[in-house]
C-alpha cells in the first residue's frame, strides 16, 4: 500500500464528480447512464484500494506513517495535508466505499429517468470523496474541511428534489442544526490551535492528529483543556450523528431520495460523529468526564429515539429513528467501554483501542444492515409509490426478495443470534452491565423497542392484505404504479449482497479478530466463540427481550390479537407524546427560533442594520453629495481658471523641490 | 560696462517673455488676446531652445566632427514649434470666429456652454 | 566658446540689450494695451525682435522663417480676426483672476530667473573641446541653412512629414469651422 494508492481512494470519486459535473452533464445527455457507470467504476476502484488498505493495516502495529505534505506555512504556523492510515481508517474506508458501491448500483435502478440523474451521481461521488477524505485526514483542519463538505453534500442531496417545499425545508433544517454542532467542533479546533504553544516545545503540531495523540499521552495538555476539547468535539459528533438534543434534523432528512438516506443518513455521514469520537478517543480517555457524557447522551438517545420509532407511520421515518437510536448505541458503547477498560487500569493507548473496537464494530455491522433496511424501504416505496405503511401490506408475495432481505436486516438489527447485529450489540450490553447498571437497563429497553418497531414495519408492510398504495402522486417519480411489483435486478442484487453482509459481518469478531485488528485483545477459536457465547446468560436475556418485542409486534400487527388502535387509545398521552416527537420541533421552533432568534436577536440585527449600517451608508452618501456640492463651485467651466490651478500646482511643486528636495 | 552676453541673458529674456505670455493667457478676457499671448509663449520657448542649441549643444554633442550637424537639432525643433504654432493659430482663430458667429462674443469668460 | 568671436564686442552687447528691452516692452504692450488692434501691432514688433535674437544666435534661417511666418502670416491672421470680431471697442479687459494670474506669472518669472542664475552653466560651456571639434562647430554655425535642410529630410523626416499632415488637417479644420452653413 503506497501513499499514492491511499490518495487515490479519495481522488477516484472526486474525479468522477468532476467528470460528471464538468463534462457529462453539460455536454452530454443529463440522463446519460454513463454518469452512473462512471460513479460505480470510481467507487469500485476506491473499494478495491480500501480493501488493500485493510490488508495492509492487518497485523501492522500502529499507524502506517506517511510524512504529510506542507500546504500553508506562515511563520511558525505550518498546515500540512496528509493521510493517517490505521486500522480505524481502513475499516471506515471499507464501510464507506462498500456501502457506497452498493447504493450506487441500486441507484441506477431507483433514479432511472429522474431529470436530475447526472446531478444525483455527481453529488453522490462528491459525497463519497468527502467522506473518504474525512476518514483519511491526518490533521484537524483537513478533517474539518471534509466534515463540512459531507454536510454540504447532505444538504444538496436531502434537497435533491428542491421543487418540493418539504425537501427544501428539510435540507435547510439539516444543515442549520448540524452547524450548531459543527460550531463546537470548530471551537475545539481553535482551542487546539490556541494551545499550540504548550506543545510546540516538543516539536509537535497541535493540528496534526498523531501529534495530538502524543501530546495527550505525554501529559502535555491538562485535564481541563482536554475536557473542553472533548466537549467541543463531542458537540460536533452530536450534530452530525443526530444525537439528543440535535436529533431533530435526521427524520426530516428522509425527504431526500431513499438511496441517499441509505448511504448518508444511515451508513456513513451520520456515523462520522461516532468516527470522530473514536478518532479523538485519547482525548476523551484522558478526560473521563467527557466519556461519561458520551455514554449518557448515547444511552438516552438510544431509548428516546426508539420510543418515537415505535409510533411513526412513515416507513423511512421509523428506520430513521432506528438509526438515531443505533447511533446512540454506538456512543454508549464507546463511552462505557472507555470507562470500563480505563477502570481496569490499562495504559491509555490500549484502552482507547479496546473501546474504539467495541463502538466501531457496531458501526461496521450497523452500516450494512441499516443501509439494507433503507434500500428495502426504498424498494417498497418504488413499488407502491408511498412511504405510509398504512397504505401498504401484503407485499410479501409480490416482492419476495425485498421481503427476505428486509427480514434479515430486521433480525440483525434486533440482535438475533447469529446475525451481525447480535455480536456487536452483545459486546455493548456486556460492557454496559459491567460499568453502569442504569445504562445497561436503558440499553436493554432499547433492545426491546428496537425489535418491536422493526417488526411492526415488517408486519405492516409485508403481511396481511395490500391496502392500495399511493392515493395521489406521493411517489418520488412520475411513472404510474398500477400494481406493486418486485424491483428490477439492479436494485435487488445490491440488497442481496448487503443482506449477506448483514449476516456475516459480525463473524469477524466472533473469535476476537476484529478487536485484534483494532489493536487489543486476543483471538480464540471461531466455533468456541460462535457457540460458546450462548453459555453466558446475557445473550439469552437480550435475545429473550428482543423476542418479546417481536412477539408483541406480531400480536398487534401480525395476528391483530391486540388492537393497535385500542392500545393507542389507552396510552393516548404517551402515544401522542411519542408521535409528536416529544414536541421537540415545536419547542425549538417557538422557544429558540421564534422567541430568541426572531424576536430577540434578529430584531436587534434589524435595529443595528437600519440604524448603524444604513446610517453609515447614508452618511457616507450625504458626505459625498455635500463634498460634491462644495467642489462643484470650483468647476466654473472657465478654462483660464483651470490653467491658473495648473500654474499654482507647478509653483507648489517648484517650491517643494527647491526647499524640501 | 555691461557683461558680455551669454546663455543666461537669453534664458532670462525667454523667461520674461514666457511669464508675460502666461499672464496674458490666464488673465485676459478676449480670446484673440489669449491667442496672442500663447504665441508669445511659443516665441519664448523658441528663444530658449535656440539658445541652448547655440551654447550648450557644442559642449555635449560636438565631440566628434561627423555628428557636428546635430548641433542644430534645437533649431530644427524651433522649426517644428513654429509649424505647430501656425496650425494652432489657424485653428484657434477659426474657433474664435465660429464662436463669435454663434454667440456674438469673443470673451472666454462667456464661453461656458459645458458648464450648463 | 566663441564660434564667431562677435559676442564679446560691446556693440553686440548694446544691440542685444536694445532688442531685448524692445521685445519685453512689445510683449508687455500686447498684454496691457487697451486697444486690441494696437496690441496686435505690438505683437508684430515682438516677433521681429525675436527674429533679431535668432540672428544673434547664429540662426539666420530661423530668423527668416520668424519674419515670414510670424511677423507675416500669423500676425495678418490675428489682425483679420481682431477686425472680423469687431470687438475692438470693448477694449482689452481682464477677468476676475487678474491679480492671481499676475502673482503667478511673477512667481514663475522669479523662479525661472533664480534657477537660471543658480544653475552652473559654466561647467558645460567650459568643457574643453579639441581644436578640430572647435573648428567643426565654427563651420556649422557659419552656415546653418543647408544643415537644417539636411536634418529635416534625413534624420527628422518622420516629424517633418507628420508636421505637414498636421498643417493640412489644421487648414481643413479651419475651413470647416469658418465656412458659412
Amino acid at each position: 500500500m503506497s501513499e499514492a494508492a491511499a490518495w487515490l481512494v479519495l481522488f477516484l470519486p472526486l474525479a468522477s464528480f468532476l467528470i460528471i459535473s464538468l463534462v457529462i452533464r453539460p455536454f452530454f445527455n443529463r440522463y446519460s447512464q454513463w454518469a452512473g457507470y462512471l460513479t460505480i467504476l470510481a467507487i469500485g476502484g476506491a473499494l478495491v484500494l480500501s480493501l488493500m488498505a485493510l490488508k495492509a493495516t492487518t497485523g501492522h502495529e500502529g499507524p502506517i506513517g506517511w510524512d504529510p505534505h506542507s500546504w500553508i506555512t506562515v511563520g511558525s504556523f505550518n498546515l500540512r495535508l496528509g493521510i493517517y492510515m490505521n486500522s480505524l481508517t481502513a475499516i471506515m474506508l471499507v464501510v464507506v466505499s462498500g456501502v457506497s458501491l452498493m447504493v450506487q448500483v441500486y441507484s441506477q435502478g431507483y433514479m432511472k429517468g429522474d431529470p436530475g440523474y447526472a446531478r444525483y451521481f455527481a453529488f453522490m461521488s462528491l459525497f463519497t470523496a468527502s467522506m473518504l477524505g474525512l476518514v483519511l485526514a491526518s490533521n484537524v483542519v483537513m478533517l474539518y474541511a471534509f466534515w463540512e463538505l459531507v454536510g454540504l453534500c447532505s444538504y444538496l442531496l436531502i434537497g435533491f428534489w428542491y421543487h418540493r417545499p418539504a425537501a427544501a425545508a428539510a435540507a435547510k433544517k439539516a444543515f442549520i442544526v448540524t452547524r450548531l454542532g459543527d460550531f463546537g467542533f470548530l471551537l475545539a479546533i481553535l482551542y487546539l490551535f490556541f494551545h499550540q504553544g504548550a506543545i510546540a516545545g516538543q516539536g509537535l503540531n497541535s493540528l496534526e492528529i498523531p501529534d495530538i495523540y502524543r501530546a495527550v499521552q505525554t501529559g502535555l495538555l491538562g485535564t481541563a483543556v482536554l475536557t473542553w476539547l472533548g466537549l467541543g468535539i463531542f458537540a460536533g459528533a452530536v450534530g452530525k450523528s443526530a444525537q439528543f438534543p440535535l436529533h431533530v434534523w435526521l427524520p426530516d432528512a428522509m425527504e431526500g431520495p431513499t438511496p441517499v438516506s441509505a448511504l448518508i443518513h444511515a451508513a456513513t455521514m451520520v456515523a462520522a460523529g461516532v468516527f470522530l469520537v473514536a478518532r479523538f478517543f485519547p482525548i476523551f480517555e484522558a478526560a473521563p468526564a467527557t466519556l461519561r457524557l458520551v455514554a449518557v447522551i448515547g444511552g438516552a438517545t438510544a431509548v428516546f429515539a426508539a420510543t418515537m420509532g415505535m409510533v411513526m407511520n412513515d416507513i423511512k421515518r421509523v428506520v430513521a429513528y432506528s438509526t438515531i437510536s443505533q447511533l446512540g448505541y454506538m456512543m454508549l458503547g464507546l463511552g462505557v467501554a472507555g470507562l470500563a477498560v480505563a477502570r481496569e487500569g490499562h495504559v491509555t493507548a490500549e484502552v482507547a483501542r479496546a473501546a474504539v473496537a467495541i463502538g466501531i464494530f457496531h458501526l461496521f455491522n450497523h452500516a450494512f444492515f441499516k443501509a439494507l433496511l433503507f434500500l428495502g424501504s426504498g424498494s417498497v416505496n418504488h413499488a407502491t409509490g408511498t412511504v405510509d405503511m398504512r397504505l401498504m401490506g401484503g407485499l410479501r408475495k409480490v416482492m419476495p426478495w425485498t421481503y427476505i432481505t428486509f427480514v434479515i436486516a430486521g433480525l440483525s438489527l434486533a440482535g438475533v443470534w447469529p446475525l451481525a447485529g447480535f455480536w456487536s450489540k452483545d459486546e455493548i450490553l456486556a460492557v454496559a452491565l459491567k460499568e453502569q447498571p442504569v445504562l445497561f437497563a436503558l440499553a436493554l429497553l432499547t433492545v426491546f423497542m428496537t425489535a418491536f418497531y422493526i417488526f411492526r414495519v415488517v408486519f405492516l408492510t409485508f403481511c396481511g392484505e395490500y391496502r392500495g398504495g399511493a392515493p395521489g402522486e406521493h411517489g418520488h417519480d412520475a411513472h404510474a404504479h398500477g400494481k406493486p411489483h418486485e424491483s428490477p435486478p439492479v436494485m435487488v442484487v445490491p440488497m442481496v449482497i448487503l443482506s449477506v453482509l448483514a449476516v456475516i459481518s459480525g463473524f469477524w469478531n466472533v473469535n476476537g479478530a476484529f478487536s485484534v485488528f483494532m489493536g487489543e485483545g486476543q483471538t480464540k477459536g471461531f466455533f468456541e466463540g460462535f457457540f460458546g457465547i450462548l453459555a453466558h446468560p446475557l445473550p439469552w436475556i437480550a435475545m429473550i427481550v428482543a423476542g418479546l418485542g417481536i412477539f408483541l409486534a406480531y400480536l398487534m400487527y401480525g395476528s391483530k390479537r391486540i388492537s393497535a388502535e385500542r392500545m393507542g387509545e389507552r396510552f393516548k398521552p404517551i402515544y401522542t407524546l411519542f408521535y409528536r416527537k416529544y414536541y421537540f420541533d415545536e419547542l425549538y421552533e417557538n422557544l429558540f427560533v421564534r422567541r430568541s432568534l426572531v424576536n430577540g436577536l434578529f430584531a436587534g440585527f434589524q435595529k443595528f442594520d437600519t440604524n448603524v449600517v444604513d446610517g453609515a451608508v447614508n452618511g457616507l452618501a450625504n458626505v459625498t453629495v455635500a463634498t460634491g456640492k462644495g467642489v462643484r463651485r470650483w468647476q466654473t467651466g472657465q478654462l483660464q481658471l483651470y490653467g491658473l490651478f495648473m500654474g499654482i500646482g507647478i509653483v507648489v511643486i517648484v517650491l517643494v523641490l527647491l526647499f524640501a528636495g | 560696462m555691461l557683461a558680455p552676453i551669454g546663455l543666461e541673458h537669453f534664458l532670462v529674456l525667454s523667461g520674461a517673455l514666457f511669464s508675460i505670455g502666461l499672464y496674458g493667457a490666464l488673465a485676459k478676457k478676449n480670446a484673440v488676446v489669449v491667442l496672442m499671448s500663447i504665441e508669445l509663449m511659443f516665441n519664448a520657448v523658441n528663444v530658449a531652445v535656440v539658445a541652448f542649441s547655440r551654447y550648450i549643444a557644442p559642449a555635449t554633442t560636438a565631440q566628434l566632427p561627423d555628428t557636428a550637424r546635430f548641433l542644430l537639432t534645437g533649431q530644427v525643433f524651433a522649426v517644428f514649434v513654429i509649424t505647430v504654432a501656425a496650425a494652432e493659430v489657424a485653428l484657434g482663430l477659426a474657433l474664435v470666429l465660429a464662436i463669435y458667429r454663434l454667440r456674438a462674443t469673443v470673451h472666454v469668460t462667456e464661453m461656458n456652454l459645458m458648464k450648463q | 566658446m566663441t564660434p564667431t568671436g562677435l559676442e564679446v564686442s560691446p556693440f553686440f552687447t548694446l544691440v542685444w540689450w536694445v532688442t531685448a528691452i524692445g521685445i519685453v516692452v512689445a510683449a508687455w504692450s500686447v498684454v496691457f494695451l487697451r486697444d486690441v488692434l494696437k496690441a496686435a501691432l505690438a505683437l508684430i514688433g515682438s516677433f521681429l525682435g525675436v527674429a533679431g535674437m535668432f540672428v544673434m544666435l547664429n540662426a539666420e534661417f530661423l530668423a527668416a522663417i520668424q519674419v515670414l511666418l510670424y511677423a507675416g502670416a500669423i500676425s495678418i491672421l490675428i489682425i483679420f480676426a481682431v477686425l472680423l470680431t469687431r470687438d475692438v471697442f470693448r477694449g482689452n479687459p481682464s477677468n476676475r483672476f487678474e491679480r492671481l494670474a499676475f502673482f503667478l506669472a511673477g512667481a514663475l518669472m522669479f523662479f525661472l530667473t533664480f534657477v537660471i542664475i543658480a544653475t552652473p552653466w559654466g561647467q558645460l560651456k567650459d568643457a574643453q573641446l579639441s581644436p578640430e571639434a572647435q573648428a567643426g562647430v565654427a563651420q556649422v554655425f557659419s552656415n546653418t541653412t543647408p544643415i537644417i535642410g539636411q536634418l529635416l529630410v534625413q534624420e527628422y523626416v518622420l516629424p517633418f512629414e507628420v508636421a505637414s499632415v498636421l498643417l493640412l488637417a489644421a487648414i481643413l479644420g479651419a475651413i470647416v469651422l469658418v465656412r458659412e452653413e
Side-chain angles (χ1 to χ4, degrees):
Chain A
M1 186 80 189
S2 66
E3 190 189 357
W7 280 108
L8 207 55
V9 175
L10 163 61
F11 284 123
L12 274 177
L14 194 63
S16 153
F17 161 69
L18 291 175
I19 292 171
I20 293 172
S21 55
L22 298 181
V23 179
I24 292 185
R25 196 173 122 73
F27 296 111
F28 297 92
N29 191 347
R30 64 197 165 116
Y31 297 95
S32 169
Q33 296 275 318
W34 283 103
Y37 294 145
L38 187 68
T39 309
I40 290 169
L41 199 69
I43 294 174
L47 176 62
V48 170
L49 290 166
S50 303
L51 289 169
M52 281 166 60
L54 190 68
K55 188 163 173 292
T57 46
T58 305
H60 194 283
E61 182 63 30
I64 302 177
W66 290 297
D67 282 337
H69 308 277
S70 197
W71 181 27
I72 298 172
T73 306
V74 181
S76 62
F77 172 74
N78 191 5
L79 191 56
R80 292 181 293 180
L81 295 179
I83 287 179
Y84 186 75
M85 175 67 76
N86 66 356
S87 43
L88 177 62
T89 314
I91 203 81
M92 287 298 292
L93 285 182
V94 172
V95 168
V96 172
S97 52
V99 174
S100 183
L101 181 63
M102 292 301 121
V103 169
Q104 307 311 333
V105 174
Y106 178 92
S107 302
Q108 281 281 49
Y110 191 84
M111 297 305 290
K112 194 169 186 166
D114 193 285
Y117 184 85
R119 182 165 58 97
Y120 174 86
F121 280 101
F123 288 164
M124 281 302 233
S125 298
L126 179 62
F127 170 78
T128 309
S130 321
M131 190 68 206
L132 293 169
L134 189 159
V135 170
L136 287 167
S138 79
N139 85 43
V140 285
V141 176
M142 189 176 161
L143 178 65
Y144 186 71
F146 284 115
W147 179 266
E148 291 298 344
L149 260 180
V150 292
L152 170 73
C153 293
S154 164
Y155 168 82
L156 291 172
L157 284 164
I158 293 169
F160 184 74
W161 290 312
Y162 50 82
H163 48 82
R164 295 205 307 222
K172 253 191 302 187
K173 186 174 178 183
F175 197 71
I176 293 168
V177 173
T178 47
R179 283 299 308 163
L180 289 176
D182 294 348
F183 188 62
F185 186 25
L186 181 61
L187 286 180
I189 292 173
L190 292 175
Y191 200 56
L192 269 173
F193 181 65
F194 184 68
H195 280 276
Q196 166 70 36
I199 66 171
Q202 306 292 313
L204 300 178
N205 184 336
S206 68
L207 298 179
E208 299 281 331
I209 291 170
D211 288 2
I212 295 171
Y213 291 170
R214 216 164 303 141
V216 172
Q217 276 160 24
T218 49
L220 286 171
L221 297 170
T223 312
V225 174
L226 291 172
T227 307
W228 285 113
L229 280 178
L231 286 178
I233 293 168
F234 186 57
V238 164
K240 217 46 133 196
S241 288
Q243 298 294 290
F244 176 84
L246 297 181
H247 60 278
V248 290
W249 67 270
L250 187 56
D252 285 6
M254 297 304 131
E255 290 293 339
T258 308
V260 170
S261 309
L263 177 61
I264 300 184
H265 306 118
T268 55
M269 188 191 84
V270 289
V274 179
F275 167 78
L276 192 70
V277 173
R279 185 54 111 194
F280 291 102
F281 210 76
I283 290 179
F284 288 90
E285 196 59 54
T290 56
L291 217 47
R292 226 162 278 138
L293 181 73
V294 172
V296 170
I297 292 276
T301 308
V303 178
F304 175 72
T307 56
M308 292 185 277
M310 291 196 300
V311 297
M312 292 295 144
N313 289 322
D314 177 335
I315 183 169
K316 283 182 72 181
R317 275 173 194 255
V318 174
V319 186
Y321 278 113
S322 163
T323 305
I324 300 178
S325 171
Q326 295 300 308
L327 290 165
Y329 232 94
M330 296 170 207
M331 290 290 188
L332 174 69
L334 283 173
V336 291
L339 288 171
V341 190
R343 184 157 304 172
E344 286 171 13
H346 290 271
V347 293
T348 316
E350 287 181 15
V351 174
R353 289 191 206 135
V356 165
I358 290 172
I360 294 299
F361 187 45
H362 195 52
L363 189 159
F364 177 69
N365 293 333
H366 173 259
F368 298 120
F369 64 70
K370 187 51 62 67
L372 176 54
L373 283 174
F374 269 112
L375 294 187
S377 46
S379 176
V380 168
N381 168 229
H382 199 68
T384 61
T386 179
V387 287
D388 192 335
M389 291 189 292
R390 287 169 297 188
L391 302 173
M392 299 175 186
L395 296 177
R396 185 176 46 172
K397 286 154 230 156
V398 286
M399 307 178 71
W401 285 105
T402 306
Y403 172 66
I404 291 168
T405 53
F406 200 92
V407 168
I408 291 173
L411 286 171
S412 188
L413 172 65
V416 173
W417 185 85
L419 302 180
F422 168 80
W423 300 100
S424 50
K425 205 171 258 194
D426 179 64
E427 279 182 14
I428 293 175
L429 282 171
V431 74
L433 178 63
K434 215 189 298 179
E435 177 59 27
Q436 176 53 263
V438 177
L439 290 176
F440 171 73
L442 286 180
L444 208 57
L445 186 59
T446 309
V447 170
F448 172 76
M449 289 191 289
T450 307
F452 174 77
Y453 66 64
I454 200 64
F455 276 88
R456 175 172 171 262
V457 172
V458 170
F459 291 126
L460 274 176
T461 308
F462 294 101
C463 303
E465 293 304 314
Y466 186 53
R467 291 186 290 274
E473 59 288 78
H474 268 297
H476 72 278
D477 49 8
H479 52 92
H481 292 282
K483 273 186 156 180
H485 52 84
E486 181 59 284
S487 298
V490 73
M491 292 165 70
V492 170
V493 169
M495 288 162 64
V496 172
I497 296 173
L498 279 174
S499 71
V500 172
L501 285 170
V503 173
I504 63 167
S505 68
F507 296 165
W508 195 357
N509 208 26
V510 165
N511 54 2
F514 186 84
S515 296
V516 171
F517 172 69
M518 297 301 282
E520 173 63 21
Q522 58 265 40
T523 50
K524 46 186 180 279
F526 181 80
F527 287 103
E528 182 194 344
F530 196 72
F531 296 106
I533 195 154
L534 298 176
H536 300 287
L538 184 62
W540 287 106
I541 296 173
M543 284 214 301
I544 289 167
V545 169
L548 282 173
I550 298 172
F551 187 60
L552 183 63
Y554 173 73
L555 288 181
M556 283 173 72
Y557 301 100
S559 69
K560 306 249 165 71
R561 210 157 292 169
I562 303 174
S563 165
E565 285 76 26
R566 216 175 312 142
M567 284 285 281
E569 283 300 311
R570 186 172 302 168
F571 298 104
K572 187 150 184 68
I574 299 178
Y575 178 84
T576 315
L577 187 67
F578 289 173
Y579 191 73
R580 303 302 302 269
K581 310 166 210 165
Y582 293 82
Y583 298 97
F584 258 95
D585 281 345
E586 288 82 354
L587 182 77
Y588 286 166
E589 174 74 20
N590 288 327
L591 191 65
F592 293 117
V593 175
R594 194 150 301 155
R595 196 142 304 162
S596 314
L597 285 179
V598 175
N599 291 349
L601 200 57
F602 292 167
F605 283 165
Q606 195 196 4
K607 214 166 272 171
F608 180 82
D609 193 48
T610 45
N611 293 340
V612 180
V613 178
D614 286 6
V617 172
N618 291 341
L620 197 64
N622 289 340
V623 167
T624 311
V625 169
T627 314
K629 270 184 182 155
V631 172
R632 204 169 65 110
R633 292 166 187 277
W634 298 81
Q635 305 290 326
T636 55
Q638 303 270 312
L639 200 62
Q640 288 171 312
L641 188 64
Y642 301 159
L644 208 55
F645 287 149
M646 281 168 65
I648 291 171
I650 291 169
V651 167
V652 168
I653 292 173
V654 168
L655 281 175
V656 168
L657 283 178
L658 274 184
F659 296 110
Chain B
M1 219 185 93
L2 291 168
I5 301 303
L7 177 63
E8 291 90 341
H9 292 79
F10 286 99
L11 292 182
V12 172
L13 171 68
S14 163
L17 204 52
F18 189 87
S19 297
I20 294 170
L22 180 69
Y23 167 77
L26 290 183
K28 289 295 152 185
K29 273 188 177 177
N30 192 321
V32 181
V33 178
V34 170
L35 278 172
M36 291 196 281
S37 304
I38 292 172
E39 294 308 317
L40 285 179
M41 289 157 80
F42 275 122
N43 266 295
V45 171
N46 273 350
V47 169
V49 166
V50 177
F52 279 126
S53 153
R54 172 72 178 72
Y55 287 97
I56 298 298
T60 53
T61 57
Q63 301 294 340
L64 293 169
D66 57 328
T67 58
R69 57 201 159 97
F70 286 105
L71 286 176
L72 296 187
T73 301
Q75 296 196 11
V76 172
F77 270 85
V79 171
F80 288 129
V81 170
I82 292 171
T83 313
V84 172
E88 177 261 343
V89 82
L91 270 181
L93 289 175
L95 278 170
V96 168
L97 283 180
I99 290 170
Y100 181 75
R101 271 215 301 261
L102 203 63
R103 309 191 59 172
T105 180
V106 289
H107 282 191
V108 283
T109 48
E110 290 157 34
M111 297 175 190
N112 52 6
L113 202 65
M114 293 278 277
K115 187 187 171 189
Q116 286 144 17
Chain C
M1 235 297 294
T2 51
T4 59
L6 196 65
E7 283 91 339
V8 289
S9 72
F11 176 71
F12 183 91
T13 310
L14 188 69
V15 171
W16 190 91
W17 277 106
V18 170
T19 316
I21 290 168
I23 289 171
V24 172
V25 168
W28 194 267
S29 311
V30 168
V31 178
F32 287 102
L33 273 182
R34 290 196 54 79
D35 187 340
V36 181
L37 193 61
K38 284 179 185 160
L41 294 174
L43 184 67
I44 296 175
S46 172
F47 286 158
L48 289 173
V50 171
M53 282 292 158
F54 286 157
V55 172
M56 281 181 267
L57 283 165
N58 293 76
E60 297 84 3
F61 176 69
L62 270 183
I65 287 188
Q66 175 82 7
V67 171
L68 283 174
L69 256 170
Y70 267 115
I74 292 176
S75 303
I76 297 298
L77 262 182
I78 287 173
I79 289 170
F80 262 128
V82 169
L83 292 177
L84 279 173
T85 53
R86 276 171 285 171
D87 231 39
V88 185
F89 312 106
R90 284 176 66 180
N92 189 9
S94 297
N95 60 20
R96 54 203 168 88
F97 324 116
E98 187 191 5
R99 287 191 189 164
L100 193 55
F102 190 84
F103 172 76
L104 184 71
L108 184 72
M109 179 69 217
F110 173 76
F111 286 129
L112 282 176
T113 312
F114 177 78
V115 169
I116 289 163
I117 291 175
T119 306
W121 303 106
Q123 290 177 2
L124 286 166
K125 279 194 288 189
D126 294 343
Q128 291 302 312
L129 287 181
S130 61
E132 309 90 76
Q134 288 204 10
V137 169
Q139 202 199 341
V140 165
F141 278 107
S142 65
N143 190 7
T144 55
T145 312
I147 300 176
I148 289 176
Q150 204 183 344
L151 283 171
L152 275 178
V153 294
Q154 282 181 1
E155 278 81 6
Y156 299 109
V157 68
L158 183 64
F160 182 72
E161 294 299 332
V162 171
S164 61
V165 172
L166 176 76
L167 277 174
L168 181 64
I171 291 165
L172 288 175
I175 291 171
V176 168
L177 277 172
V178 296
R179 195 179 52 172
E180 300 282 343
E181 292 305 315

